[in-house]
Amino acid sequence: MGAEAARHARLKQLFMAVADLAGRAPRQAALDAAGASPDEQAAVWRLLDASDRTTHFSGPISRASSLWLEQELPMGSLLGAWRLVRPLGEGGMGRVCLAERADGAYAQHVAVKLVRVGSGPEALARFAHERQILAGLNHPHIARLLDGGQTPQGSPFLVMEYVDGEVLDDWCERKALDFPTRLALFDTLCEAVAYAHRRLVIHFDIKPANVLVDQDGRLRLLDFGVAQIEGEAADGPVGLTPAYASPEQAAGQAPGVASDIYSLGRVLDVLTRALTLPAGRRAELDAIVAKSTAGNPAQRYGDVASLQQDLRRLLRRQPVQAMGYSRSYVLRKWLQRHWPWALAASALLAAGGAFTWRLALERDRAVAAEQRALDEARTASEVSDFLVNLFNDANDSEHERASEVRALTLLERGHERLMRDLADRPQQRALLLARLGRVLEDVSQNKRATELYGEAIEAYRLLGQPQKLTELYNALAFSLNRLGQFRRALRVIEDWQQHAPLTDGDVANIDNAFGTVLANLGRTDEARARMVRALASVGQAPDHPDLPRLTPRSRQFFSNLALVELAARRPDEAERLSRLSLDPTHAAAYRRHNVLALALMDLGQTEAALEHMRLADAEAVRRFGKFNATRHRVLRDQGWLLMRAGRLAEAERTLRLALQCAEESGEADQPSNAMTLSRLAEVLAARGHRGAALHTYDDALRIAIAYEADGDPVGLARIRASREALLSRRP
């Protein structure tokens, strides 16, 4: 059901993206740009054919509607000073006609919109009120409302400025406009919409067909006849365009700024989807579109200006808000903006060391235009000074040489010093706590990393900077998961969901974290649903993966879904997903070899399983060293597979080495080590070492019981049952 739901959502997304386009060629181009597979394209074309096909009702209804309008107001009719000339178009809100001035005062052409609203006093009074508001919109890129009134039959009409122009997306395609020029046009559209919003007017039907560009390249926003006053619900059905209408519009809710932002996001996507852009810029643009068109209005941009600012950052190669502000991303954007300086600084750094780097940093401060960039540069300098002084302390030590100072000892010394020396600089202390936590995690010191992540989260909360929390929550949750503290990891994810501001990308990461932890707790159905949703957010479906568009992130999601399937005893599916996620060059290749090995063992492919487990161990040693927490987990699974293969002596040696890794990495008292001890006890029992097995079971129970009150039994019942079964056997 999960896969089918994901496929349905994907087809719906594709259909909505092309349904409003005219002609087969534009629709085909949009499907190709969206990366639709051949099966998906065939399904969408069937839907389009069905939607375009007329029924035996549609013809009579259309003819009756046109006949009624012709009988009510035939061309040539007078409405005040205006004579109807010819129809221009027809939609859900009424009919638009070209009209000319008929009182002889001067020659002028206008667009007259015959509006279909209720004819009762309340409806007409509301229409008059809205017309007065719309008449006050005086902006160079909004078609002006000139006049209005009622037809002889009592229906309202609007007289609007006539714009002789071309629909926005057609203009862009015909002129073959480049990316910056299209964004400049879109920015002009945003200015017009923002102007209306400042006067509490919501357009409510923004789409390319309502944006014309005249022969001079001047953009004009039309059709404010559908517009509504912010916060007021419509009296009845409103003519909307499904491909551009927000979910809340479709549900008939009161309009708001978020509805227009959704429509702007859809227009932006249409204008730029077919363009060929560098991968990084495409990812940033997709993130902006995704934030604009989020299903939850609270997750969209707060106003049109915020959307414009992100697009301007994109053009200036500055960090885009929709992408989040991870360290690597911000640094990459800085290098893109200042690559000549970065190149020069890199060369000088190799020759001159830290002094030249500081000069380059000072240069960046001098030319930075934004206060945010200045603040971040200042913080980075202070952090750098702190770390330089920390290593200087190591060099000046009377009792030990710098080369003899262990990295972990130095990191611990850094933590003590930052808590002491930066007590009056909470911003710098919070940043350093987060960075030291990341360093500790990178060297497989997960237990200590969780402590620093927790301190950093609390520090940023006290600073009132919730936007800094997302990356920390994600890191903390997965560190706890690696330690075997699954219940605590679950609480961290729930806290993350509640307290951090979330983009669509963050929601996908939360689903990924939930899926991983829930699988370890045995809640495989919930875990699978979360992982399927995470994959859908990156345009992937488990049953029909889009192989050309596999990214490191989607591979990670596939790998975690493989773990879910493994926990659900579906090794064939786990093997397929593991192979899909496997990238030998990726930093997490050891983990994916590990999962694939477990799946192959469950499928009875013992030698292939052990080979992938050896690859996992070799990769863990290469990346993290001989004794670390990462290798502990790999060796624990390797020992388990060796036992199942009947190679008991080798299994015992492997599991004892795993215990040594746990000891060296500070995880000897963690739930993850209880699992290792339990497996070693089973191997010892199988080898006939009853006393040693019971003693090892006792060690495993002691750790598991310590975490039982916190809801992390880590197989406590199974450990107890195995021990009791061993006791019941005769010596």
Side-chain angles (χ1 to χ4, degrees), residues 469-511:
L469 298 178
T470 291
E471 186 178 351
L472 288 169
Y473 272 125
N474 190 47
L476 177 56
F478 276 99
S479 292
L480 289 168
N481 182 71
R482 285 188 285 270
L483 292 173
Q485 297 189 35
F486 306 132
R487 295 286 180 186
R488 188 177 165 203
L490 203 60
R491 290 196 296 272
V492 166
I493 301 168
E494 291 167 348
D495 198 39
W496 175 12
Q497 195 170 29
Q498 181 177 359
H499 292 107
L502 304 177
T503 65
D504 285 351
D506 297 331
V507 172
N509 288 337
I510 286 177
D511 282 331

Side-chain angles (χ1 to χ4, degrees), residues 55-75:
T55 67
H56 64 283
F57 290 110
S58 59
I61 290 174
S62 176
R63 287 194 298 273
S65 175
S66 298
L67 181 61
W68 177 83
L69 285 168
E70 287 291 345
Q71 290 175 346
E72 184 186 48
L73 281 173
M75 294 302 100

Side-chain angles (χ1 to χ4, degrees), residues 603-633:
L603 291 170
Q605 302 178 37
T606 303
E607 289 307 316
L610 291 174
E611 176 59 28
H612 277 285
M613 195 59 78
R614 282 190 289 271
L615 289 172
D617 184 39
E619 192 66 18
V621 172
R622 187 177 73 84
R623 289 190 177 274
F624 301 102
K626 192 172 181 180
F627 299 106
N628 56 78
T630 298
R631 197 179 185 209
H632 164 221
R633 291 186 294 276

Side-chain angles (χ1 to χ4, degrees), residues 562-580:
L563 277 174
V564 175
E565 300 296 2
L566 201 60
R569 302 184 185 280
R570 297 179 59 187
D572 52 345
E573 188 66 6
E575 181 201 5
R576 182 181 70 84
L577 294 168
S578 295
R579 293 192 185 280
L580 196 63

